[in-house]
Amino acid sequence: MLKAVILIGGPQKGTRFRPLSLDIPKPLFPVAGVPLIQHHIEACAALENLKEILLIGFYPIAQIQTFIDDMQKQYNVAIKYLQEFTALGTAGSLYHFRDQIRCGNPDAFFIFVLILLLQELYKFHKEQTSKFQSKACVTIVGTEATRQQSLNYGCIVTNKDTHEVSHYVEKPNSYVSTLISCGIYIFSLDIFQIIGETFNTKQQEYYRNENGNGNKEAGFIQLEKEIFPQLSGTGKMYAFQLNNWWSQLKTAGSAIYANRHYLELYRINHPERLYTLKGEGDCTIIPDVHINPTASIDPTAVLGPNVSIGPGVVVGPGVRIKESIILANAVIEERSLVLHSIIGRGSRVGRWARVEGTPSDPDPNKPFAKMENPPLFNSDGRLNPSITILGCSVTVPSETILLNTIVLPNKELTRSIKNEIIL
Amino acid sequence: MKEDGLRALILVGGYGTRLRPLTLSRPKPLVEFANKPILLHQIEALVDAGVTEVILAVSYRAEQMEQELTEEANKLGINIIFSHESEPLGTAGPLALAKDILVKSTKPFFVLNSDIICDFPFRELAKFHASHGKEGTIVVTRVEEPSKYGVVVYDKENCISSFIEKPQEFISNKINAGLYILNPSVLSRIELRPTSIEKEVFPSIAADRHLYAFELQGFWMDVGQPKDFLTGMCLYLKHLRTSNPAKLYKGCGVVGNVLVDPTAKIGTNCQIGPNVIIGPGVVIEDGVCIKRSTILEGVTIRSNSWLESCIIGWRCSVGRWVRMEGITVLGEDVIVKDETYINGGQVLPHKNIAASVPEPQIIM
């Protein structure tokens, strides 16, 4: 029997995902028309012998419960949300809920740190777990990155023949390895012994007032900083190299990039989620496009590629949408153009408006390049060109242009805006 | 040609670089303002006032212009003479160069800067000039910010006492409008060399109390550069609304003052205006919005595009969902690809624009 644990963080996390995470928890943000963690749940539910999915995070239960109920109904698997009383770190939260995870005595469990997106994980798992399980305490999924970008991730050094991890370091200052951690782990239950030792050491330090954890909770333990480095080189940690597409979803800008890849995956996994033309009176589609069935699209509109349209959205005559996500109940009035942008829930774009952003997709000419997550501002204090994002209930007046602009929720704009953040 | 006809000299001057990229394809006097070459607005008004011979002072040879204007002259039954300067002679030198033609008659003659658009009051000007009986009359127009110009100071009888360049303190809000009527006697004051009529000739006539000011009523604009070209277009259309409203377009989706050539085609669900001029053979597809712009002959604008403050050159092709604004000027035969954005672009002829130009820039 297998279990999966998905670490979803909490409201204090995902700040770089603002303003999209201001009104909806980041794990529930729809990518390719489906909440982000539903993609993970779906991948897990497809695994043979997987009996339970545990979501661990510190969002208030009220924000997550409806989603959990929906998922239970959709996928025939037990799903529970375990709310941390405070941020405990990746290892700390696993340890805190160890009884829940151990319950039923699973052979192994998966961990997903929410920021990741994955592809066909189940295939890999089936082949790999049996091979490593006898000896391995943890298997970590790695992928190639560029030398420069590897510094932003957990770096893994392996023995090429045995795949054993000989060294692990989180976000090093200098180059260590181009094999980086994807944030997908497979643990055997022995891991709790190892986390437990660290936990006890920390508790003792805490009560002796040797507070090595700063202001953080005594139980705050990070897998990546405290557990993996000590496991590496002991023969208990292995790495599996994933050659498929993988990306983090850290900044709002990466949502469009992720959207494109999930839409592409739908061609194989969920062709029914891609919009197919129904004939007479239909709008023009340039694949791939996802349209929620409750959205209303004028026949003269042209959508795609890489467009997701949420429920209740209204798209008027002569509208053009490309490389964008339109969230629930937004209205795009006639003749407008939306490019490389995310339109928030219930926002309204007036007619002949132009809403345009600048994509920051990985450099296609660099092998293994990952999505860049540039900071909002460059070293001169100027806003880096980004995708354009409208928070929820933003009104864009007719005939204006929004270029590389981020608008926080509930704003009624009155003019054209370029390269600005509107509070 | 009628013996008693009046003469006029139009200072056409050089290459019209300020109106590039349009003037790279066509000499400035032939660039259409309100669907008619700029120069023809002036020549037709002069003919109405009884002018039968027009001298064009040009500092370069432009066979295209000479040929086209000669045809127009024949239609109007007047004589057009090209007076070529071998070196630029300023604003007064060309008068000395054309002296032989101008002194054939004792009647006063008109002098015009070629970029001026207004409701040319040549008859009233000639009448006023005759009434005071002195050597010259300058048309003056009122401006809001006189400190940017040279202002004209005159008394209650309109006799000019002085010209003051860019006054710091308010002295007058009347500036030289670039239209004059002069007696042939003035020619004796001008030498054949590069010289300025405003700075050298007029002050000396004024000193002799022989120069009068005629106040222009109504609109006036020097349309020699794109920004002013569009402002002048708005003023012209507003004037047309009162003087000849039948000429304005009244189709579906029109807002405000719009002039459309009868051979142009406009699609459905468009919003044209206010202040738009559409030339012959232009095709505007469905769902296009155009404001404060001039679209020259043979242009195609594809569906769902949005244009404001643009001059679109002859035979350009603008794609779908294009946005252009900020005094964008497209030269002849420019192709703008679907979904691009051009802000304040000055695009040279025959270019293909495939990527957006979000900040003002010249595209070679």
Side-chain angles (χ1 to χ4, degrees), chain A residues 318 320 322 354 399 418, chain B residues 287 291 304 321 323 339 341:
Chain A
R320 177 81 181 95
K322 188 169 154 180
R354 182 182 181 100
E399 302 181 35
K418 292 177 189 172
Chain B
K291 303 160 108 167
N304 305 318
W321 292 289
R323 182 185 178 98
E339 299 164 21
Y341 168 50

Side-chain angles (χ1 to χ4, degrees), chain A residues 300-302 317-320 322 334-337 339 351-354 356 399-401 403 416 418-419, chain B residues 268-271 286-289 291 304-306 308 320-323 325 339-341 343 356 358-359:
Chain A
T300 58
V302 181
V319 165
R320 177 81 181 95
K322 188 169 154 180
E334 60 199 86
R335 333 251 163 240
S336 285
L337 172 67
L339 272 183
R351 57 190 198 148
W352 279 302
R354 182 182 181 100
E356 182 178 10
E399 302 181 35
T400 53
I401 177 167
L403 191 62
S416 290
K418 292 177 189 172
N419 306 306
Chain B
T268 56
N269 297 312
C270 288
Q271 184 185 311
D286 296 349
V288 169
C289 179
K291 303 160 108 167
N304 305 318
S305 285
W306 185 92
E308 184 177 57
R320 302 182 297 165
W321 292 289
V322 166
R323 182 185 178 98
E325 61 186 330
E339 299 164 21
T340 47
Y341 168 50
N343 176 25
S356 289
E359 294 304 326

Side-chain angles (χ1 to χ4, degrees), chain A residues 141-379:
Chain A
V141 179
T143 190
E144 279 290 325
T146 62
R147 275 177 82 100
Q148 197 201 345
Q149 288 184 323
S150 70
L151 305 182
N152 300 321
Y153 299 89
C155 293
I156 310 163
V157 183
T158 59
N159 178 317
K160 288 278 176 290
D161 302 321
T162 62
H163 304 289
E164 192 192 324
V165 176
S166 51
H167 187 67
Y168 182 96
V169 57
E170 184 71 10
K171 296 181 183 137
N173 289 317
S174 58
Y175 168 72
V176 174
S177 164
T178 53
L179 187 65
I180 59 161
S181 166
C182 296
I184 310 172
Y185 319 123
I186 310 168
F187 292 109
S188 66
L189 294 180
D190 302 344
I191 192 71
F192 291 118
Q193 220 176 323
I194 291 154
I195 302 177
E197 281 162 18
T198 305
F199 180 82
N200 288 334
T201 313
K202 288 200 147 184
Q203 293 292 328
Q204 283 163 16
E205 283 170 5
Y206 178 78
Y207 289 112
R208 288 204 308 265
N209 284 330
E210 293 165 12
N211 198 347
N213 252 357
N215 294 328
K216 288 191 171 123
E217 187 61 32
F220 185 90
I221 311 167
Q222 288 176 295
L223 282 171
E224 300 80 2
K225 289 199 178 135
E226 291 157 274
I227 306 299
F228 293 162
Q230 58 163 301
L231 269 177
S232 60
T234 63
K236 289 183 175 169
M237 184 172 177
Y238 289 81
F240 173 76
Q241 193 167 336
L242 188 72
N243 293 315
N244 288 326
W245 170 74
W246 173 89
S247 171
Q248 285 187 315
L249 191 64
K250 287 239 166 173
T251 56
S254 49
I256 289 174
Y257 178 65
N259 196 65
R260 178 183 319 133
H261 284 275
Y262 269 117
L263 288 174
E264 203 183 308
L265 290 178
Y266 283 169
R267 292 188 188 189
I268 306 154
N269 302 336
H270 288 285
E272 79 286 354
R273 285 187 189 159
L274 290 175
Y275 191 80
T276 43
L277 296 176
K278 293 171 183 70
E280 205 66 14
D282 217 339
C283 62
T284 306
I285 296 285
I286 301 160
D288 300 318
V289 174
H290 166 84
I291 301 177
N292 186 287
T294 61
S296 152
I297 316 288
D298 188 273
T300 58
V302 181
L303 311 184
N306 184 21
V307 169
S308 287
I309 307 268
V313 166
V314 178
V315 174
V319 165
R320 177 81 181 95
I321 305 176
K322 188 169 154 180
E323 300 282 345
S324 296
I325 300 174
I326 316 295
L327 296 174
N329 302 317
V331 177
I332 314 294
E333 290 183 12
E334 60 199 86
R335 333 251 163 240
S336 285
L337 172 67
V338 179
L339 272 183
H340 298 289
S341 300
I342 298 174
I343 309 296
R345 278 189 306 117
S347 285
R348 175 175 286 268
V349 174
R351 57 190 198 148
W352 279 302
R354 182 182 181 100
V355 179
E356 182 178 10
T358 301
S360 53
D361 286 3
D363 186 343
N365 298 318
K366 274 194 198 158
F368 310 121
K370 301 286 172 259
M371 178 85 199
E372 290 282 358
N373 287 311
L376 273 177
F377 298 95
N378 64 22
S379 51

Side-chain angles (χ1 to χ4, degrees), chain B residues 136-149:
Chain B
T137 304
I138 296 180
V139 178
V140 294
T141 185
R142 200 183 143 133
V143 289
E144 286 181 356
E145 293 173 50
S147 60
K148 291 194 291 188
Y149 304 86

